[in-house]
Amino acid sequence: MQDKLQLTERKNIPFFSLPLWEKTKICGHGFSSRLGGVGVERTISFDMGFKGGENPSRVLENRERFLAIWGKNNSVLCTGEQVHGRRVSIIGREELLAGRRAFPKTDALVTAERKAVLGAFCADCLLVFFLEPSVPVVGIAHAGWRGTCKGIVSRVVRIMKRQFAADPQKIQVLMSPSIGACCYEIGVEVIECCRRSSWKEEMVLYPAGKSGHLYFDLRASNRNVLMKEGIKSNHIFGNDFCTKCDSSLFYSYRGSGGKITGSHMGIIFLRDTGSDH
Ligand SMILES: [Zn+2]
Protein backbone atom coordinates (compact mmCIF):
# COMPACT_ATOMS: atom_id res chain seq x y z
CA MET A 1 0.00 0.00 0.00
CA GLN A 2 1.52 3.28 -1.18
CA ASP A 3 -0.50 5.39 1.22
CA LYS A 4 0.25 3.45 4.42
CA LEU A 5 3.10 4.26 6.75
CA GLN A 6 5.54 1.37 6.54
CA LEU A 7 8.48 0.06 8.50
CA THR A 8 11.33 -0.12 6.04
CA GLU A 9 15.10 -0.45 6.32
CA ARG A 10 18.04 1.31 4.74
CA LYS A 11 21.73 1.24 5.69
CA ASN A 12 20.79 -1.34 8.36
CA ILE A 13 18.46 1.11 10.09
CA PRO A 14 14.75 0.35 10.34
CA PHE A 15 12.50 3.42 10.11
CA PHE A 16 8.99 4.42 9.11
CA SER A 17 8.10 6.16 5.86
CA LEU A 18 5.28 6.64 3.40
CA PRO A 19 5.91 4.85 0.06
CA LEU A 20 3.82 7.45 -1.77
CA TRP A 21 6.19 10.23 -0.71
CA GLU A 22 9.28 8.11 -1.38
CA LYS A 23 8.03 7.69 -4.93
CA THR A 24 7.46 11.38 -5.63
CA LYS A 25 11.10 12.23 -4.81
CA ILE A 26 10.02 15.76 -3.90
CA CYS A 27 10.85 15.34 -0.24
CA GLY A 28 12.85 13.03 1.97
CA HIS A 29 11.24 11.99 5.25
CA GLY A 30 11.38 9.36 7.97
CA PHE A 31 10.45 8.50 11.54
CA SER A 32 12.92 6.52 13.65
CA SER A 33 12.04 3.42 15.65
CA ARG A 34 13.95 2.38 18.78
CA LEU A 35 16.11 0.07 16.68
CA GLY A 36 19.39 0.81 14.98
CA GLY A 37 21.43 2.97 17.34
CA VAL A 38 24.63 2.95 19.30
CA GLY A 39 23.29 3.39 22.82
CA VAL A 40 22.80 0.17 24.75
CA GLU A 41 22.66 0.82 28.46
CA ARG A 42 19.48 2.47 29.63
CA THR A 43 17.33 2.91 26.60
CA ILE A 44 17.77 0.28 23.99
CA SER A 45 18.91 1.67 21.67
CA PHE A 46 18.26 4.46 19.15
CA ASP A 47 17.58 7.44 21.40
CA MET A 48 17.33 10.75 19.53
CA GLY A 49 16.67 13.04 22.50
CA PHE A 50 18.74 14.65 25.24
CA LYS A 51 16.11 14.19 27.93
CA GLY A 52 16.14 10.41 28.25
CA GLY A 53 19.37 9.92 30.11
CA GLU A 54 21.32 8.64 27.15
CA ASN A 55 24.88 9.89 26.78
CA PRO A 56 24.62 13.13 24.68
CA SER A 57 27.44 12.07 22.39
CA ARG A 58 25.53 8.87 21.62
CA VAL A 59 22.38 10.88 20.93
CA LEU A 60 24.32 13.00 18.45
CA GLU A 61 25.78 9.87 16.89
CA ASN A 62 22.32 8.30 16.65
CA ARG A 63 20.99 11.42 14.92
CA GLU A 64 23.98 11.39 12.59
CA ARG A 65 23.37 7.74 11.69
CA PHE A 66 19.70 8.39 11.05
CA LEU A 67 20.32 11.49 8.91
CA ALA A 68 23.01 9.62 6.95
CA ILE A 69 20.26 7.43 5.47
CA TRP A 70 19.48 10.46 3.29
CA GLY A 71 23.07 11.70 3.00
CA LYS A 72 22.40 14.44 5.59
CA ASN A 73 24.05 15.34 8.90
CA ASN A 74 23.51 17.27 12.14
CA SER A 75 24.85 20.52 10.67
CA VAL A 76 21.67 20.97 8.59
CA LEU A 77 19.18 19.75 11.19
CA CYS A 78 16.73 22.47 12.32
CA THR A 79 14.68 21.82 15.43
CA GLY A 80 12.27 23.65 17.71
CA GLU A 81 12.54 23.79 21.49
CA GLN A 82 9.20 21.91 21.79
CA VAL A 83 7.39 23.53 24.67
CA HIS A 84 3.91 22.14 23.89
CA GLY A 85 2.94 25.49 22.44
CA ARG A 86 1.65 26.48 19.03
CA ARG A 87 4.43 28.63 17.64
CA VAL A 88 5.46 27.86 14.07
CA SER A 89 8.89 29.07 12.95
CA ILE A 90 9.65 29.64 9.30
CA ILE A 91 13.15 28.77 8.17
CA GLY A 92 14.20 30.99 5.32
CA ARG A 93 17.50 31.68 3.62
CA GLU A 94 18.41 34.30 6.24
CA GLU A 95 18.10 31.85 9.12
CA LEU A 96 20.23 29.30 7.30
CA LEU A 97 22.91 31.81 6.32
CA ALA A 98 23.03 33.05 9.92
CA GLY A 99 23.59 29.45 11.04
CA ARG A 100 20.35 29.27 13.03
CA ARG A 101 19.35 25.68 13.63
CA ALA A 102 17.58 25.83 17.02
CA PHE A 103 14.28 27.67 17.30
CA PRO A 104 13.13 28.69 20.79
CA LYS A 105 9.56 28.18 22.03
CA THR A 106 8.76 26.47 18.75
CA ASP A 107 6.71 23.31 18.16
CA ALA A 108 6.44 23.44 14.38
CA LEU A 109 8.77 24.34 11.53
CA VAL A 110 8.09 25.22 7.91
CA THR A 111 10.53 25.74 5.06
CA ALA A 112 10.80 26.04 1.31
CA GLU A 113 14.62 25.92 1.51
CA ARG A 114 16.30 22.82 0.13
CA LYS A 115 19.28 23.10 2.46
CA ALA A 116 17.26 22.71 5.66
CA VAL A 117 16.25 19.42 7.28
CA LEU A 118 13.33 19.86 9.67
CA GLY A 119 13.40 17.59 12.72
CA ALA A 120 11.17 16.97 15.73
CA PHE A 121 11.19 14.54 18.67
CA CYS A 122 8.60 12.57 20.59
CA ALA A 123 7.84 9.63 22.88
CA ASP A 124 4.02 9.13 22.69
CA CYS A 125 3.29 12.57 21.26
CA LEU A 126 2.34 12.85 17.61
CA LEU A 127 4.56 14.26 14.88
CA VAL A 128 2.74 15.62 11.85
CA PHE A 129 4.56 15.99 8.52
CA PHE A 130 3.37 18.40 5.81
CA LEU A 131 4.07 18.56 2.09
CA GLU A 132 2.63 20.89 -0.54
CA PRO A 133 4.32 19.50 -3.65
CA SER A 134 3.39 22.26 -6.09
CA VAL A 135 5.17 25.07 -4.17
CA PRO A 136 7.07 23.02 -2.89
CA VAL A 137 7.11 23.56 0.87
CA VAL A 138 7.40 21.18 3.82
CA GLY A 139 6.63 21.34 7.53
CA ILE A 140 6.71 19.31 10.72
CA ALA A 141 4.71 19.76 13.94
CA HIS A 142 4.99 18.25 17.41
CA ALA A 143 1.52 17.69 18.83
CA GLY A 144 0.86 16.25 22.26
CA TRP A 145 -2.49 16.93 23.90
CA ARG A 146 -1.61 20.56 24.55
CA GLY A 147 -0.50 21.29 20.99
CA THR A 148 -3.49 19.38 19.65
CA CYS A 149 -5.94 21.39 21.79
CA LYS A 150 -4.20 24.61 20.69
CA GLY A 151 -4.66 23.64 17.06
CA ILE A 152 -0.98 23.70 16.12
CA VAL A 153 -1.65 21.83 12.86
CA SER A 154 -4.11 24.54 11.85
CA ARG A 155 -1.38 27.16 12.38
CA VAL A 156 0.96 25.24 10.09
CA VAL A 157 -1.66 25.07 7.32
CA ARG A 158 -2.44 28.79 7.65
CA ILE A 159 1.23 29.76 7.52
CA MET A 160 1.80 27.55 4.48
CA LYS A 161 -1.14 29.31 2.81
CA ARG A 162 -0.22 32.84 3.82
CA GLN A 163 3.56 32.78 3.46
CA PHE A 164 4.01 30.26 0.67
CA ALA A 165 0.74 30.45 -1.28
CA ALA A 166 0.18 26.76 -0.59
CA ASP A 167 -3.16 25.34 -1.69
CA PRO A 168 -4.88 23.41 1.16
CA GLN A 169 -6.39 21.11 -1.46
CA LYS A 170 -2.87 20.09 -2.42
CA ILE A 171 -1.37 19.84 1.07
CA GLN A 172 -0.59 16.26 2.07
CA VAL A 173 -0.19 15.28 5.71
CA LEU A 174 1.50 12.27 7.27
CA MET A 175 1.04 11.30 10.90
CA SER A 176 3.70 9.48 12.89
CA PRO A 177 3.15 6.57 15.25
CA SER A 178 1.97 7.95 18.61
CA ILE A 179 0.19 6.73 21.69
CA GLY A 180 -3.13 5.29 20.49
CA ALA A 181 -6.56 6.03 21.89
CA CYS A 182 -6.34 2.44 23.28
CA CYS A 183 -3.78 3.59 25.87
CA TYR A 184 -4.31 7.32 26.24
CA GLU A 185 -6.45 7.62 29.33
CA ILE A 186 -6.74 11.25 30.32
CA GLY A 187 -7.54 13.19 33.45
CA VAL A 188 -9.30 16.44 34.30
CA GLU A 189 -6.52 18.67 32.97
CA VAL A 190 -6.77 17.30 29.42
CA ILE A 191 -10.57 17.17 29.47
CA GLU A 192 -10.70 20.82 30.55
CA CYS A 193 -8.20 21.79 27.85
CA CYS A 194 -10.39 20.11 25.21
CA ARG A 195 -13.51 21.81 26.54
CA ARG A 196 -11.91 25.25 26.46
CA SER A 197 -10.30 24.75 23.07
CA SER A 198 -11.44 26.73 20.04
CA TRP A 199 -11.23 23.32 18.41
CA LYS A 200 -13.43 21.56 20.97
CA GLU A 201 -15.76 20.22 18.26
CA GLU A 202 -12.77 18.57 16.60
CA MET A 203 -11.34 16.91 19.72
CA VAL A 204 -12.07 13.16 19.93
CA LEU A 205 -12.52 11.61 23.38
CA TYR A 206 -13.86 8.13 24.03
CA PRO A 207 -15.42 6.89 27.23
CA ALA A 208 -14.14 3.37 27.90
CA GLY A 209 -14.67 0.59 30.40
CA LYS A 210 -16.84 0.53 33.48
CA SER A 211 -14.88 3.33 35.06
CA GLY A 212 -16.19 5.78 32.45
CA HIS A 213 -12.68 7.22 32.14
CA LEU A 214 -11.97 9.11 28.96
CA TYR A 215 -9.41 8.26 26.30
CA PHE A 216 -7.97 10.85 23.93
CA ASP A 217 -7.44 10.16 20.24
CA LEU A 218 -4.54 12.37 19.13
CA ARG A 219 -4.60 11.33 15.49
CA ALA A 220 -8.38 11.61 15.02
CA SER A 221 -8.41 15.01 16.75
CA ASN A 222 -5.66 16.39 14.54
CA ARG A 223 -7.27 14.86 11.46
CA ASN A 224 -10.49 16.74 12.27
CA VAL A 225 -8.65 20.03 12.71
CA LEU A 226 -6.83 19.51 9.40
CA MET A 227 -10.05 18.76 7.56
CA LYS A 228 -11.61 21.89 9.02
CA GLU A 229 -8.68 23.78 7.49
CA GLY A 230 -9.53 22.39 4.07
CA ILE A 231 -7.16 19.44 3.86
CA LYS A 232 -8.70 16.60 1.85
CA SER A 233 -9.35 13.45 3.87
CA ASN A 234 -7.56 11.30 1.30
CA HIS A 235 -4.49 13.55 1.69
CA ILE A 236 -4.17 12.70 5.39
CA PHE A 237 -2.12 9.56 5.94
CA GLY A 238 -2.61 8.07 9.38
CA ASN A 239 -1.62 4.72 10.88
CA ASP A 240 -2.62 2.33 13.63
CA PHE A 241 0.64 2.07 15.55
CA CYS A 242 0.48 2.65 19.29
CA THR A 243 3.78 3.55 20.95
CA LYS A 244 2.64 2.16 24.30
CA CYS A 245 1.29 -1.14 22.93
CA ASP A 246 4.43 -1.98 20.96
CA SER A 247 7.51 -1.55 23.12
CA SER A 248 9.65 -3.58 20.72
CA LEU A 249 9.55 -0.73 18.19
CA PHE A 250 8.76 2.35 20.23
CA TYR A 251 9.73 4.40 23.23
CA SER A 252 6.75 5.36 25.31
CA TYR A 253 6.59 7.91 28.11
CA ARG A 254 3.43 6.31 29.44
CA GLY A 255 4.76 2.81 28.84
CA SER A 256 7.69 3.63 31.09
CA GLY A 257 5.32 4.65 33.86
CA GLY A 258 5.99 8.35 33.40
CA LYS A 259 9.74 7.93 33.87
CA ILE A 260 12.22 9.34 31.43
CA THR A 261 12.50 7.41 28.23
CA GLY A 262 14.14 7.67 24.84
CA SER A 263 12.82 9.78 21.97
CA HIS A 264 12.02 9.18 18.35
CA MET A 265 12.98 11.64 15.64
CA GLY A 266 10.99 12.57 12.59
CA ILE A 267 12.59 14.47 9.71
CA ILE A 268 11.42 16.01 6.47
CA PHE A 269 13.24 18.04 3.84
CA LEU A 270 12.92 19.11 0.22
CA ARG A 271 15.19 17.13 -2.03
CA ASP A 272 17.65 18.83 -4.32
CA THR A 273 16.47 18.50 -7.85
CA GLY A 274 18.18 15.49 -9.32
CA SER A 275 19.30 14.12 -5.95
CA ASP A 276 19.84 10.39 -5.67
CA HIS A 277 19.23 10.18 -1.93
ZN1 LIG B 1 -2.13 1.18 22.86
Side-chain angles (χ1 to χ4, degrees):
M1 293 280 279
Q2 296 292 304
D3 57 354
K4 280 265 182 266
L5 190 73
Q6 280 182 3
L7 186 62
T8 176
E9 189 171 319
R10 226 182 290 163
K11 299 193 180 175
N12 293 320
I13 297 174
F15 65 98
F16 292 90
S17 70
L18 185 72
L20 192 71
W21 283 8
E22 295 280 346
K23 233 173 70 180
T24 66
K25 298 203 186 306
I26 294 170
C27 68
H29 74 289
F31 180 83
S32 69
S33 75
R34 66 183 296 166
L35 310 171
V38 291
V40 286
E41 284 149 27
R42 301 187 53 186
T43 49
I44 298 169
S45 69
F46 206 22
D47 189 357
M48 297 291 177
F50 292 119
K51 295 174 186 165
E54 181 61 276
N55 181 326
S57 64
R58 282 191 176 153
V59 170
L60 286 174
E61 195 178 337
N62 285 342
R63 289 183 183 180
E64 201 81 11
R65 283 167 65 106
F66 189 56
L67 291 162
I69 294 174
W70 297 272
K72 302 287 184 181
N73 60 54
N74 281 318
S75 72
V76 291
L77 181 66
C78 301
T79 58
E81 188 185 356
Q82 297 193 191
V83 291
H84 297 281
R86 55 173 206 154
R87 177 182 289 181
V88 183
S89 288
I90 297 171
I91 298 165
R93 195 153 300 167
E94 276 169 38
E95 282 75 17
L96 292 179
L97 288 175
R100 287 190 67 199
R101 301 290 181 266
F103 295 81
K105 296 190 170 61
T106 291
D107 278 81
L109 299 162
V110 172
T111 195
E113 295 296 323
R114 294 181 191 276
K115 295 218 177 329
V117 173
L118 310 183
F121 308 95
C122 65
D124 284 346
C125 287
L126 178 67
L127 299 187
V128 187
F129 304 76
F130 297 80
L131 167 67
E132 211 282 37
S134 74
V135 177
V137 58
V138 289
I140 194 164
H142 162 255
W145 62 267
R146 287 189 181 88
T148 301
C149 283
K150 290 172 188 167
I152 188 163
V153 291
S154 127
R155 303 260 301 175
V156 174
V157 171
R158 289 179 190 187
I159 280 173
M160 284 176 120
K161 269 162 67 177
R162 201 172 59 221
Q163 305 285 333
F164 298 92
D167 177 355
Q169 295 274 305
K170 292 182 184 163
I171 294 176
Q172 300 177 25
V173 181
L174 173 65
M175 296 196 186
S176 77
S178 67
I179 190 161
C182 45
C183 293
Y184 204 5
E185 185 181 333
I186 52 171
V188 187
E189 197 183 4
V190 185
I191 296 165
E192 272 307 303
C193 185
C194 288
R195 282 200 184 124
R196 285 197 311 268
S197 167
S198 353
W199 301 95
K200 61 174 178 258
E201 301 294 325
E202 281 68 40
M203 297 297 108
V204 181
L205 293 84
Y206 300 107
K210 288 179 194 154
S211 64
H213 289 170
L214 288 173
Y215 288 72
F216 190 36
D217 192 328
L218 277 177
R219 286 186 289 244
S221 300
N222 281 287
R223 168 181 278 273
N224 286 344
V225 173
L226 288 162
M227 285 173 64
K228 193 90 181 223
E229 285 294 342
I231 311 299
K232 292 163 76 175
S233 67
N234 63 351
H235 281 173
I236 304 172
F237 307 105
N239 64 81
D240 298 321
F241 295 104
C242 170
T243 47
K244 183 163 183 251
C245 284
D246 192 346
S247 58
S248 65
L249 284 173
F250 302 112
Y251 296 111
S252 170
Y253 176 72
R254 289 224 167 180
S256 70
K259 293 197 211 73
I260 52 172
T261 183
S263 298
H264 299 282
M265 175 160 77
I267 60 142
I268 187 163
F269 62 92
L270 288 170
R271 288 181 188 273
D272 288 327
T273 327
S275 161
D276 291 333
H277 291 296

